């Protein structure tokens, strides 16, 4: 049965495409790009207050716990969404997708008031502005273009169907030169828009506790550009300062590591995690209490991000708490992981 809010929600799904960016491919062949994920989204609500948000970010998992309060004076049902990053095989060939699960590539899990909740998944495969979802599902092709299951299913198609998909620009024919003998394969050419969604009931007499967690997409590089001579002026490094705000202490630590190992390059690789935070401003008023925990995973790893007020609370953790928090931007977390000493 179609829910009475579904029409309004589908319009909301259409607007989400402008919220979640597609990660651009990076040129370096030892670099992978991160895909930005975030928290729950609704259309701007005059009635539902986000009383608190506890956000924990680590390389292994992102966990968010919310408390919501309904100020409408009556129970209301509100469509809530968790949008996934757009996925595209050709443009995001170097972007990391945490799992190969065609239905749940980010291993998303949801609980409401402590109980697991099933969510619905809205997916659309788009090529040149045209929705080709029905064509792919009719052929039994998984929709996640980066999945190995999708590639295998495309390879099993008969020749006539393969030619039709090439004509429709749904796929590109590519030669796998590393195979013996070299073979032609179909490479997905569609962009996948995906959103988990459900209708959330907000009673008028008690708060609602919502928790979700998922695996982040982690960008990486075998060596950081921070700390090289004149690193700020080098091509490709202009984003470090506005994205991650590396401070004097971080730069001193990198310089000290270079001196101690007698190196002319920083002995650190990169891990990058992006989190869409600004949509927390869509609820009624500011977030009453915002608590952030960053866990860098290893005591020797360095961390940098543009967020004032973080306090070291453990060997690998940093935390901050803010009242009446209005997120103005998003979070970009840079982890500098020490590289192994050469033999």
């Amino acid at each position: 049965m179609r829910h009475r809010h579904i029409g309004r929600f589908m319009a909301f799904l259409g607007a989400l495409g402008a919220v979640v960016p597609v990660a651009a491919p990076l040129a370096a062949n030892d670099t992978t790009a991160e895909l930005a994920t975030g928290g729950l989204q609704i259309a701007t609500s005059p009635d539902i207050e986000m009383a608190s948000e506890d956000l924990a970010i680590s390389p292994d998992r992102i966990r968010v716990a919310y408390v919501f309060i309904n100020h409408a004076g009556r129970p209301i049902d509100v469509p809530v969404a968790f949008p996934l990053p757009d996925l595209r095989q050709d443009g995001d060939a170097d972007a990391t997708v945490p799992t190969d699960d065609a239905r749940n590539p980010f291993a998303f899990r949801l609980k409401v008031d402590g109980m697991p909740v099933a969510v619905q998944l809205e997916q659309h495969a788009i090529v040149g502005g045209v929705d080709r979802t029905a064509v792919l599902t009719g052929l039994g092709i998984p929709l996640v273009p980066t999945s190995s299951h999708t590639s295998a299913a495309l390879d099993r198609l008969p020749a006539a169907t393969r030619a039709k998909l090439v004509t429709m620009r749904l796929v590109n024919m590519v030669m796998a030169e590393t195979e013996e003998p070299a073979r032609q394969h179909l490479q997905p050419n569609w962009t996948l828009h995906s959103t988990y969604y459900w209708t959330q009931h907000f009673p008028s007499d008690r708060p609602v506790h919502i928790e979700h967690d998922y695996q982040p997409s982690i960008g990486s590089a075998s060596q950081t550009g921070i700390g090289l001579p004149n690193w700020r002026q080098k091509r490709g490094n202009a984003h470090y300062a506005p994205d991650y705000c590396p401070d004097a202490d971080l730069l001193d630590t990198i310089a000290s590591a270079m001196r101690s190992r007698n190196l002319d390059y920083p002995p650190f690789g990169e891990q990058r995690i992006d989190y869409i935070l600004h949509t927390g401003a869509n609820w009624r008023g500011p977030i009453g209490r915002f608590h952030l925990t960053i866990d860098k995973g290893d005591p020797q790893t360095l961390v940098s991000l543009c967020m004032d007020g973080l306090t070291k609370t453990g060997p690998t953790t940093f935390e901050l708490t803010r009242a009446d928090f209005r997120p103005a931007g998003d979070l970009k977390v840079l982890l500098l992981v020490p590289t192994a000493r050469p033999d």
Side-chain angles (χ1 to χ4, degrees), residues 144-214:
V144 178
T146 57
S147 171
S148 62
H149 300 295
T150 303
S151 299
L154 290 170
D155 280 344
R156 290 193 295 266
L157 293 174
T161 304
R162 292 158 63 95
K164 179 180 178 181
L165 294 185
V166 171
T167 301
M168 297 175 68
R169 296 174 49 222
L170 263 167
V171 296
N172 296 317
M173 192 73 73
V174 297
M175 183 68 71
E177 297 179 355
T178 57
E179 295 182 359
E180 286 291 343
R183 292 181 54 205
Q184 285 187 325
H185 293 272
L186 298 184
Q187 181 185 70
N189 191 41
W190 65 87
T191 297
L192 181 64
H193 305 301
S194 304
T195 303
Y196 292 111
Y197 69 96
W198 65 100
T199 299
Q200 181 59 50
H201 179 71
F202 291 96
S204 59
D205 58 350
R206 62 175 176 82
V208 174
H209 297 256
I210 299 179
E211 305 168 59
H212 69 83
D213 66 279
Y214 56 92

Side-chain angles (χ1 to χ4, degrees), residues 31-232:
T31 299
T32 58
E34 65 277 19
L35 294 165
T37 48
L40 305 184
Q41 296 187 20
I42 64 168
T44 303
S45 172
D47 299 313
I48 307 300
E49 174 195 0
M50 188 187 293
S52 67
E53 176 181 359
D54 286 277
L55 169 62
I57 297 176
S58 76
D60 298 322
R61 206 125 190 112
I62 291 178
R63 295 179 172 85
V64 197
Y66 308 89
V67 177
F68 293 105
I69 297 176
N70 174 13
H71 293 277
R74 55 181 173 78
I76 57 175
D77 294 336
V78 176
V80 180
F82 177 77
L84 294 175
D86 284 354
L87 297 180
R88 191 175 65 238
Q89 175 68 8
D90 56 349
D92 290 331
D94 293 324
T96 58
V97 179
T99 80
D100 206 28
D101 185 340
R103 293 287 297 176
N104 194 6
F106 289 80
F108 177 76
R109 301 181 299 197
L110 173 71
K111 289 183 178 180
V112 177
D113 292 331
M115 299 298 294
V117 172
V119 296
Q120 294 177 276
L121 177 62
E122 179 82 5
Q123 289 187 306
H124 295 279
I126 307 297
V127 177
V130 179
D131 191 330
R132 298 295 192 184
T133 309
V135 175
L136 295 171
T137 56
L139 294 170
I141 306 299
L143 295 179
V144 178
T146 57
S147 171
S148 62
H149 300 295
T150 303
S151 299
L154 290 170
D155 280 344
R156 290 193 295 266
L157 293 174
T161 304
R162 292 158 63 95
K164 179 180 178 181
L165 294 185
V166 171
T167 301
M168 297 175 68
R169 296 174 49 222
L170 263 167
V171 296
N172 296 317
M173 192 73 73
V174 297
M175 183 68 71
E177 297 179 355
T178 57
E179 295 182 359
E180 286 291 343
R183 292 181 54 205
Q184 285 187 325
H185 293 272
L186 298 184
Q187 181 185 70
N189 191 41
W190 65 87
T191 297
L192 181 64
H193 305 301
S194 304
T195 303
Y196 292 111
Y197 69 96
W198 65 100
T199 299
Q200 181 59 50
H201 179 71
F202 291 96
S204 59
D205 58 350
R206 62 175 176 82
V208 174
H209 297 256
I210 299 179
E211 305 168 59
H212 69 83
D213 66 279
Y214 56 92
Q215 292 180 231
S217 169
I218 300 177
S220 65
S222 60
Q223 182 189 330
T224 185
I226 298 177
L228 291 168
N230 301 315
W231 64 271
R232 290 182 178 85

Side-chain angles (χ1 to χ4, degrees), residues 308-320:
D308 294 332
L310 281 166
T311 301
K312 187 174 176 62
T313 57
T316 64
T317 55
F318 300 80
E319 300 182 49
L320 69 80

